[in-house]
Amino acid sequence: MAPGPVGATNVSVGIANLPNQRHKIVSRKGTNFTVMVVGESGLGKTTFINTLFTTLMREYKRPEHRFNKQMDRTVAIDVVRADIEEKGFNVRLTVIDTPGFGDYANNQDCWVPVIKFIDDQHQLVMNHETLPNRKIDDLRVHVCLYFIQPTGHTLKPLDIEVMKQLSSRVNLIPVIAKADTITPAEMLAFKERIRDCISTHDIQVYSPAVHSDDEETTRRNTSTLAAMPFSIISSENDVVVNGQNVRGRQYIWGVAEVENENHCDFKKLRNLLIRTHMHDLISTTHDSHYEAYRVSKLTAEGRTDNDPAISARRNFEAKMKEEEGALRKRFAEQVKVEENRFRQWEQKLISERDRLNEDLDKQHTLVKQLEEELEEIIAARKR
Amino acid sequence: MKLKPGSSGSGKSTFVNTLCESPVILRKDHLDAEKAAAPKTVNITPTTIGLLPEMDEDGLKLSLTVVDTPGFGDNINNEPAFTDILEYIEHQYEEILSQESRIKRNPRFQDNRVHVLLYFVQPTGHGLREMDIEFMRTLGPRVNVIPVISKADSMTPQELNAFKKKVMEDISHYKIPIYDFPYDEDEDDEETIEENTELRGLLPFSVIGSEDEIVLNGRRVRCRQYPWGIVEVDNSKHCDFSKLRYMLLSSHLHDVKDITHEVLYESWRTEKLSKEGHHDDDEEEVVIDG
């Protein structure tokens, strides 16, 4: 379809009102946001989730229960849902936790259940697309936060392997957990080494688009990008600092504040996840990761590009024609054979008839002869 | 002689350098980004430091050998690392055994047995991990294991107490043999009993290491500087480093050596020799393995 004539309207027709309509629709419908947290236990994933949305989303593991589960060596997938509302706007939030990840002596393949879960969600949506009723519970993961242990050295082999697998399937944001273990100088070096590692091993982490029309936004985006991977400190408790109530961790030697930008990047991460890039995360999940999954699945089944429907039909038709030609030929041959058979039979019958006719004639002549003889004899008797 | 396993980045090298007050263990190239993904074998490297005579009792010179284990716990599959370390320890015992059995013993033979194994536990707050449990259980019968909580400045005082409690519960639940400052109620004097009970109550020791010094209130202090405060290594309110140091290098030095020689080595020896077919009982026939 060729594009029509392009031009600006010189009278306000109302096209500029489109974003407002979008806004109304979205605020009425609310949105669906799925976050997955991956990392070894004890890195503060549960606390982070509870701090991020300032609601108690996950209960802590009960200490008595650890004796039951420990020797299982499995990685579970826990799904927690909540409906969060702020100023009349709803978010159906889903948090996916991965208890047991990386906790064992032998962690080979511990990422397989996680990857499988992500792929399964894409597959579910793909399957449902062709059904008449397309409304399903969309659990596709919009962002995956990978918690890095604050060793201060560099990434571990497990981190690298898992991040590689995750980054091709989902928006991956690595975070440095328990950042209050690392001094500022150490943190800079650590982040540098992690970034090095990430680029050496070609891991595609989520990076928000930097440029925008608004200069303020561009500046903010640049500083956010420079701070990645984000260092975070989480706390569910409030502490009094200088007469104010702040979220923080109270040590003997001071208070590490969660929302203080000098202490950690929690605020930057929260802004990225919720305030500025939530929609981007959701749309890239659908537009790039889901599409990539779809393409890989379909090419694996043997379908190719270039207007697949039509070329498929074309192939189909050609095949049909071929088959038809072959059938026709066979049919003609068979007909010929049958005709021959019939002809021969006919000949046989004709010759049979002729023979029989001849016989009949002979019999007739014989009968005539006998009749004549009989008449002669009768005539002779009468004299 | 000390051996220290624990995952990379848990602060082992810093701890050693803090303990010896000098940079004994240097950072190697395990920080290289390219090599980060490759599985590493555990690199068991002993380093001997002769300590100053003022450090210990009786004015004796102490030769401290520290065995670091960079690469332990880093890989995706860490089970092979356990056997590497166990073999190292048993190898030292074997050397002693073969020395003992010689007709002419070598007077200059160096006793390289490991007296103490400091296991660095990650401060997760959730108790011991499967790897910790398996490892300590495997090595406890061969060496004095002392669990140590590294990077203790990541936990608030309440969290630290709760964590210590959980770790000790795990240790008793899984029956992990550790060196828990044993004392004899009848034989030892009250002071010893008190000291040991106190140290036992501090287990596992929380440790913070630092090689940096600053001047605080006029004195030089080893510490870690955060934007929200300064953590002092030698301050016993901040961590148990000083108590651990005192215990390792002075008060319990002989105790761990005695236990290594009299209990652990002997039990290993018994097991090893009975496996080879020697029996102590003279009435039984001696079974010689072919």
Side-chain angles (χ1 to χ4, degrees):
Chain A
M1 226 190 323
V6 176
T9 60
N10 33 17
V11 175
S12 171
V13 173
I15 296 175
N17 198 37
L18 203 60
N20 291 342
Q21 295 177 22
R22 182 91 200 127
H23 178 260
K24 282 215 187 74
I25 293 174
V26 175
S27 16
R28 199 177 5 110
K29 272 178 40 181
T31 186
N32 185 6
F33 192 51
T34 308
V35 180
M36 177 184 255
V37 283
V38 179
E40 297 175 24
S41 73
L43 285 181
K45 303 190 293 291
T46 312
T47 315
F48 174 75
I49 293 295
N50 291 342
T51 316
L52 189 67
F53 293 102
T54 61
T55 359
L56 189 68
M57 297 248 352
R58 297 251 312 149
E59 292 278 331
Y60 289 105
K61 290 192 273 222
R62 299 257 284 282
E64 309 87 61
H65 289 172
R66 72 186 187 273
F67 293 139
N68 305 340
K69 271 187 35 116
Q70 262 272 18
M71 298 317 198
D72 258 351
R73 301 185 183 193
T74 51
V75 177
I77 304 280
D78 274 355
V79 180
V80 177
R81 304 194 128 152
D83 278 321
I84 302 193
E85 190 241 314
E86 185 183 280
K87 292 205 185 116
F89 184 69
N90 293 319
V91 170
R92 275 182 303 283
L93 177 71
T94 313
V95 177
I96 302 176
D97 198 356
T98 54
F101 178 86
D103 283 344
Y104 305 109
N106 184 356
N107 290 314
Q108 196 64 45
D109 296 334
C110 69
W111 54 86
V112 169
V114 178
I115 300 292
K116 188 166 179 304
F117 179 81
I118 296 177
D119 283 344
D120 281 349
Q121 303 315 309
H122 286 312
Q123 183 68 44
L124 267 172
V125 174
M126 224 176 93
N127 290 346
H128 275 81
E129 265 187 1
T130 54
L131 295 184
N133 180 13
R134 287 208 281 180
K135 268 243 159 297
I136 55 151
D137 225 358
D138 187 357
L139 262 188
R140 283 178 297 184
V141 179
H142 298 130
V143 64
C144 179
L145 297 171
Y146 187 82
F147 281 64
I148 299 174
Q149 212 172 41
T151 60
H153 292 183
T154 181
L155 291 178
K156 299 196 288 187
L158 180 65
D159 297 337
I160 294 173
E161 182 61 41
V162 178
M163 290 217 276
K164 258 201 209 150
Q165 302 266 348
L166 285 173
S167 64
S168 58
R169 293 173 162 84
V170 70
N171 292 322
L172 178 71
I173 299 183
V175 295
I176 300 175
K178 295 199 169 181
D180 52 353
T181 318
I182 308 183
T183 63
E186 290 169 352
M187 183 59 85
L188 280 173
F190 187 40
K191 281 190 181 180
E192 186 64 45
R193 281 193 282 265
I194 292 182
R195 280 195 284 258
D196 236 354
C197 223
I198 287 179
S199 65
T200 311
H201 293 274
D202 239 346
I203 300 174
Q204 305 292 331
V205 297
Y206 175 75
S207 46
V210 177
H211 287 294
S212 91
D213 305 319
D214 186 10
E215 231 215 72
E216 165 75 37
T217 321
T218 314
R219 218 171 334 129
R220 201 167 3 116
N221 284 345
T222 333
S223 79
T224 306
L225 203 56
M228 288 179 84
F230 299 112
S231 62
I232 52 178
I233 304 174
S234 319
S235 170
E236 295 160 339
N237 305 319
D238 286 340
V239 175
V240 180
V241 170
N242 294 338
Q244 273 195 320
N245 250 0
V246 288
R247 281 273 159 119
R249 290 171 62 71
Q250 174 99 58
Y251 292 106
I252 301 177
W253 44 85
V255 175
E257 296 167 43
V258 169
E259 308 224 3
N260 186 331
E261 303 243 12
N262 293 330
H263 291 189
C264 71
D265 301 323
F266 179 82
K267 228 178 172 175
K268 288 204 180 80
L269 177 61
R270 188 178 56 194
N271 285 344
L272 184 112
L273 279 182
I274 303 179
R275 195 179 292 261
T276 52
H277 285 82
M278 187 191 262
H279 190 75
D280 189 40
L281 288 166
I282 297 176
S283 56
T284 44
T285 305
H286 183 77
D287 294 336
S288 32
H289 295 289
Y290 171 65
E291 286 302 314
Y293 176 80
R294 209 167 155 275
V295 166
S296 72
K297 252 310 160 107
L298 292 178
T299 45
E301 282 172 19
R303 306 231 275 223
T304 57
D305 232 2
N306 307 323
D307 212 356
I310 293 190
S311 74
R313 163 110 44 82
R314 230 180 283 136
N315 289 344
F316 183 68
E317 277 177 358
K319 245 187 352 176
M320 281 294 108
K321 232 184 226 132
E322 224 182 271
E323 264 177 40
E324 206 183 321
L327 270 176
R328 226 170 259 207
K329 232 193 321 186
R330 253 190 35 217
F331 184 63
E333 275 176 26
Q334 273 189 343
V335 164
K336 227 186 269 172
V337 163
E338 289 299 299
E339 272 188 5
N340 276 339
R341 217 157 54 102
F342 274 126
R343 215 168 284 134
Q344 276 176 5
W345 195 24
E346 205 184 18
Q347 297 285 44
K348 247 195 344 195
L349 281 177
I350 288 177
S351 60
E352 188 79 17
R353 185 191 60 177
D354 283 345
R355 189 175 60 87
L356 286 174
N357 277 350
E358 262 180 42
D359 268 352
L360 202 61
D361 274 346
K362 262 199 225 138
Q363 297 293 1
H364 265 189
T365 8
L366 203 60
V367 164
K368 251 210 200 107
Q369 253 185 352
L370 286 176
E371 273 187 3
E372 279 178 12
E373 275 183 26
L374 188 63
E375 274 186 17
E376 269 181 27
I377 295 178
I378 293 178
R381 270 249 172 125
K382 266 196 188 154
R383 268 187 267 132
Chain B
M1 199 202 187
K2 274 202 285 296
L3 175 67
K4 308 166 311 79
S7 326
S8 196
S10 46
K12 304 191 294 296
S13 313
T14 315
F15 174 77
V16 175
N17 295 342
T18 317
L19 190 72
C20 308
E21 294 177 13
S22 58
V24 168
I25 302 210
L26 304 160
R27 307 245 178 269
K28 284 176 272 203
D29 67 341
H30 56 263
L31 297 178
D32 186 19
E34 288 234 352
K35 303 203 183 137
K40 301 182 252 295
T41 50
V42 179
N43 195 358
I44 304 182
T45 45
T47 324
T48 307
I49 317 124
L51 280 186
L52 310 168
E54 315 130 31
M55 290 274 124
D56 42 351
E57 298 181 349
D58 310 328
L60 292 171
K61 251 206 180 83
L62 176 64
S63 169
L64 173 70
T65 308
V66 177
V67 184
D68 197 0
T69 54
F72 177 85
D74 278 349
N75 297 323
I76 296 179
N77 183 3
N78 293 308
E79 282 168 351
F82 294 9
T83 35
D84 285 343
I85 295 184
L86 189 63
E87 273 170 16
Y88 177 83
I89 295 179
E90 292 188 339
H91 179 68
Q92 311 307 321
Y93 285 171
E94 276 172 16
E95 298 256 301
I96 299 276
L97 184 62
S98 67
Q99 272 297 315
E100 274 184 0
S101 327
R102 282 161 82 117
I103 301 171
K104 207 165 180 235
R105 296 190 195 169
N106 181 0
R108 273 192 295 272
F109 176 72
Q110 266 210 321
D111 183 357
N112 280 331
R113 284 178 294 191
V114 177
H115 299 129
V116 163
L117 185 142
L118 295 175
Y119 186 76
F120 282 64
V121 175
Q122 299 247 342
T124 60
H126 288 308
L128 290 176
R129 301 187 300 168
E130 192 229 3
M131 181 165 81
D132 304 335
I133 297 171
E134 284 305 315
F135 183 77
M136 291 205 277
R137 234 200 224 155
T138 314
L139 286 164
R142 294 281 174 259
V143 69
N144 291 314
V145 175
I146 300 184
V148 167
I149 301 175
S150 60
K151 298 199 172 181
D153 53 351
S154 70
M155 294 202 276
T156 63
Q158 301 95 320
E159 290 169 351
L160 190 61
N161 284 335
F163 185 54
K164 282 190 178 184
K165 198 155 150 274
K166 280 193 200 149
V167 171
M168 294 314 284
E169 276 173 14
D170 282 346
I171 288 179
S172 71
H173 179 88
Y174 292 104
K175 301 206 185 17
I176 300 172
I178 60 164
Y179 177 75
D180 58 355
F181 306 97
Y183 53 82
D184 201 328
E185 295 252 337
D186 307 316
E187 286 197 8
D188 295 328
D189 55 65
E190 256 211 45
E191 219 188 281
T192 322
I193 297 181
E194 230 187 82
E195 199 186 352
N196 279 347
T197 326
E198 190 201 336
L199 284 171
R200 191 184 284 186
L202 278 179
L203 271 176
F205 295 100
S206 64
V207 151
I208 301 172
S210 173
E211 305 171 49
D212 307 318
E213 281 187 4
I214 61 158
V215 179
L216 193 69
N217 299 334
R219 41 187 188 102
R220 292 187 74 81
V221 176
R222 283 185 304 183
C223 62
R224 285 174 67 71
Q225 281 191 300
Y226 291 109
W228 50 85
I230 298 180
V231 184
E232 295 170 44
V233 169
D234 295 302
N235 187 333
S236 58
K237 283 208 241 45
H238 290 188
C239 72
D240 302 328
F241 177 77
S242 33
K243 290 224 176 63
L244 178 64
R245 189 160 179 263
Y246 178 72
M247 165 249 151
L248 276 180
L249 300 180
S250 317
S251 57
H252 286 78
L253 180 70
H254 295 294
D255 202 22
V256 293
K257 283 175 80 165
D258 287 343
I259 293 189
T260 309
H261 183 70
E262 283 164 24
V263 177
L264 299 168
Y265 171 65
E266 289 302 315
S267 70
W268 173 84
R269 193 172 172 277
T270 317
E271 272 182 43
K272 173 123 177 134
L273 295 178
S274 44
K275 255 193 286 191
E276 286 173 9
H278 299 239
H279 291 279
D280 282 341
D281 202 341
D282 286 334
E283 291 174 18
E284 279 185 320
E285 277 194 14
V286 175
V287 177
I288 299 175
D289 276 347

